[in-house]
Structure formats: C-alpha cells, structure tokens
Amino acid sequence: MNEPSSTDPLDQPLRTRTPALFRRNHRRRSSRRRGHSQLRSPRELVTIFSAFIWLKRLFIMAGLFIGAALVWLGLCLEIDTEHNLFLTTLSYLPIWLPLLPVLFVLPILLFFSRLHASILALGAACYFFMHVLTHYGSGQATPTAPLTALNNFRVMSFNVGQSHHVDFVRLLEEMKPDIILLQEARGWLKRKDLSPELVPFAFREEKGEFAILSKHPLQESGPPVVSMTVNGREKTCAYRHRMLVFGRRVTVFNVHMPSPRDLLKWNAGGACMLGLIHWTSPGISDLHQQRTLPWRDRAYALGQIASLVEHEPNLVVVGGDLNCPPWGGGYRALCRSLKDCFAEAGHGFGTTFPGDFAWLPDFISPWVRLDHLLVSKDAHVQEWRQMRSGQMQHLPVCAEIHPQG
C-alpha cells in the first residue's frame, strides 16, 4: 500500500519545495524594496515644500487681486461705463459673472490662509451689495390711495424684430395693456395676428420701425425727436406721442437705441483691454478715447430724451428697447427726471435679453435688462411684469401706472 504524502514542506523532497521557498523569499524582498522606494529623498522633499509655498503665494495674490477688482467694478459700473471699453463690455454680460472666480479661489484660499480668504470674501460682498443687490427688485409696489384703479392704465413695450411665433392674443390676455409700444415693427400692423378683430385697439400708428397701438385717442404724433448717425446712416431713436388717457394728457416716448452688437464684437476681439491700459501712454489713451466715442454718443442721445422729458408739462412715459443696461451715464440721465418702473414694482433682476435661448436655464438666459419702462416721478407704479410667449429675442415688459392727483 502507498503511504499518504505529507503536507509539511520540510517532509517534501528538496526539488519540490525549492520553488515554493524561492517565491516566498522573492515576495519578501520585493515588499522591502517597495517600502524603501516610498521614502523621499531630502531634495524631493524640498521641491515639494517649495511648490506648496509657491502655490500658496499664487492663491493669496489671486485672492487679493480678485477682491480688489470686485470692489473697483462695484464702484465704477455704477458711475460711468461709457468712458471705459472694459466696463462697457462687462456691463452687457451677466451681472453675476465677476463672482464666478470667487467660487473657485475662496475654498482653496480657506485652506491656505483664512485672513486672505476673509479679504476676498469682503471684496465679493462689496460687489454684491454695491452692484448686484441694488438692481434686484423686491416686487413691492408703491402704495396708493383706495379706489385708484379706475384711473390706472397699462403700458407694454416689446421689440418684435427677431421674435418668431409670437402668440399675440395670449400675450395681450396676460398683460392686458392699454398702450402698446413696438420696436423693429415695420409692417407688423398688417399682420393677421395684429388685426383689429384679434387685437381691438382703435388707435394705431406706424412710423418706420416704430408702431403704437392704443385704446386711448392719439392727439399728436410728431416727427422723430432724437436721431444719431450709425455707420454713416441716420438712425431714428425715438418718437413722441401725445394722447388723452382718462381725461389726462400723457406724453409717450417710443425709443429704440441702435444695437451695440457691432461695437461689442469689436470689444470682444481684444479692444476691451484698452480700458485697462489706456492710462499707460498718451497714444493708447487717444485710441481709447476714440473708440469710446460711439458709446458716449449713445449716452448723449439718451440725455437728449431726458432733456425733452424735463420740458414736458404732461405725465411722461418712456418705453422701449434702450439697448443699455440699467446703469451708466445715459440711463442715469433719464432717471434724473423719471423713475424706473421695474425699480418701483419689479421682482428679481427683470432681465429681458437674450430671451431666445430656450435651452438655457432661466437663471442664465436672459441675462441683461435692455428693455425699460420709465414714468414721471409723481406717478405711482402698481405693477411691473414680463412674459415669454414663443421664441422671443427680447421679452416684453408691462407696467401698470396710476397718475398722481
């Protein structure tokens, strides 16, 4: 009979147990070598420490720069954007865009230096309170006396130029306007969806690209009151209409300023950097002064409208596509004698352009408020609304106004 084989390696023949012992010893030596290789040499440790120090300095300098830049932007964007190409370009971008670097730098800076992280957070807070929060509407309308709704009237402004498949019937049912101001509306009054049967506005008038529809009688519609030269051609910027609303004379300005698209394309090509370095030499300063001239002309044209408003004895409503955000010299000139209906009764940021990016979230598109309604300071603003119906490049805005007295 065969005896059972032993399981002890020492009882096995030498030729059978040698490979097992060799593999075991090889694994032990390999593990020792790996342990020794994990130890860093002094030179490597110094290199790693130096890289850490330089990374810390880099984020500290970035945090200080971003914090100071946000404070500068918060101050300058509210003062005069038309005199600086960089500020002009930035004013047409989302208002929250300058805060994005803070979201990346601040968490890392908290790891390196809490002091410098606090400085960055302070700069972000200054920009937020000086520029972002001041343009956020609370939605609280000005209180009025009881039973004043009988004299209220609604004004709607809408740039229809590049809007498609607009459901005007649904739009008017939602807004319920008494006066409609249209821009880039050449030939729109002949459309079927604006026919008197569907849109029962008795008083209609079309002047070039401007159109007005009113339930109240138009008394006067004069020639263009403001125009400017754009690319060698004369561009009408505003018409003035006088009408009788509930027995009170009201003057309405229908405004459409030239599109800044071409100017912004030129700025986006790198010219906006002139706004940061224009002080370095007289030659660059002169070039920057020359390139800001079209922007200053736009502010001057809005200032002309403001001058006409100051000499109007009637209640004044200014509405339209001003093609300027709610800051800068031109907008401030209008607000000296008028008040912004959105600032009185709007909610959120009231952004109106671009509205045709339906695939983007609502908090991204639209991202700038270019369409405005302003009214005399002695009037009350009961409500401000906007609406998206169809594919619209500009969202229509509507305000309910109560004349004082």
Side-chain angles (χ1 to χ4, degrees), residues 38-340:
Q38 292 176 357
L39 299 177
R40 303 291 183 181
S41 65
R43 181 176 297 179
E44 291 175 336
L45 293 176
V46 170
T47 303
I48 294 173
F49 183 74
S50 301
F52 179 84
I53 294 298
W54 278 106
L55 188 64
K56 177 181 177 180
R57 292 176 180 175
L58 176 64
F59 274 94
I60 287 176
M61 289 188 293
L64 294 176
F65 174 79
I66 294 173
L70 288 174
V71 174
W72 176 71
L73 289 176
L75 290 172
C76 294
L77 283 172
E78 295 295 328
I79 297 174
D80 203 355
T81 60
E82 289 87 359
H83 288 76
N84 189 288
L85 289 179
F86 180 79
L87 295 177
T88 301
T89 306
L90 191 63
S91 64
Y92 286 86
L93 296 176
I95 195 172
W96 42 261
L97 190 64
L99 293 174
L100 286 184
V102 179
L103 300 180
F104 170 72
V105 176
L106 185 60
I108 302 176
L109 199 56
L110 280 171
F111 174 76
F112 288 125
S113 173
R114 293 186 178 180
L115 173 63
H116 295 92
S118 302
I119 296 175
L120 174 58
L122 180 62
C126 290
Y127 175 82
F128 180 80
F129 284 104
M130 289 189 297
H131 186 59
V132 178
L133 199 60
T134 55
H135 297 285
Y136 186 85
S138 63
Q140 298 178 354
T142 307
T144 59
L147 303 177
T148 58
L150 295 176
N151 295 328
N152 287 6
F153 64 96
R154 288 173 175 256
V155 182
M156 186 181 84
S157 174
F158 184 21
N159 183 335
V160 299
Q162 299 185 36
S163 300
H164 306 284
H165 310 294
V166 179
D167 188 352
F168 260 98
V169 176
R170 177 173 173 266
L171 182 64
L172 298 182
E173 287 177 353
E174 287 286 333
M175 297 291 197
K176 296 181 175 60
D178 300 294
I179 302 168
I180 302 176
L181 306 177
L182 301 179
Q183 303 88 42
E184 294 192 57
R186 193 182 303 272
W188 272 65
L189 294 187
K190 300 177 182 178
R191 290 167 52 117
K192 292 182 179 180
D193 53 356
L194 281 175
S195 63
E197 292 77 17
L198 295 177
V199 184
F201 284 71
F203 304 94
R204 300 160 171 250
E205 189 164 344
E206 183 176 326
K207 288 180 174 291
E209 65 157 300
F210 297 86
I212 182 171
L213 297 89
S214 175
K215 295 180 180 179
H216 304 279
L218 295 172
Q219 294 185 328
E220 179 186 342
S221 294
V225 292
V226 175
S227 59
M228 59 183 297
T229 303
V230 180
N231 296 328
R233 293 187 299 178
E234 196 75 9
K235 166 73 169 67
T236 299
C237 297
Y239 276 93
R240 177 172 52 194
H241 307 274
R242 292 189 175 96
M243 60 186 67
L244 201 63
V245 180
F246 299 119
R248 177 167 184 157
R249 291 175 61 86
V250 177
T251 301
V252 178
F253 289 86
N254 193 359
V255 184
H256 182 209
M257 298 299 296
S259 172
R261 187 177 295 109
D262 293 337
L263 297 175
L264 291 174
K265 285 181 180 179
W266 189 85
N267 287 2
C272 63
M273 292 296 105
L274 291 174
L276 299 177
I277 62 172
H278 67 91
W279 50 271
T280 56
S281 71
I284 296 179
S285 179
D286 293 340
L287 179 61
H288 180 263
Q289 190 78 1
Q290 178 185 355
R291 294 300 183 180
T292 56
L293 183 60
W295 296 102
R296 287 181 279 125
D297 287 344
R298 297 164 63 86
Y300 177 75
L302 290 174
Q304 287 181 303
I305 298 175
S307 179
L308 293 172
V309 168
E310 292 175 356
H311 294 86
E312 278 290 334
N314 309 324
L315 174 70
V316 176
V317 177
V318 175
D321 177 13
L322 304 188
N323 267 320
C324 74
W327 48 81
Y331 175 80
R332 289 202 319 275
L334 287 173
C335 288
R336 280 196 285 268
S337 52
L338 302 169
K339 59 183 178 182
D340 193 338

Side-chain angles (χ1 to χ4, degrees), residues 20 22 30 107 370:
F22 176 78
S30 299
L370 301 182

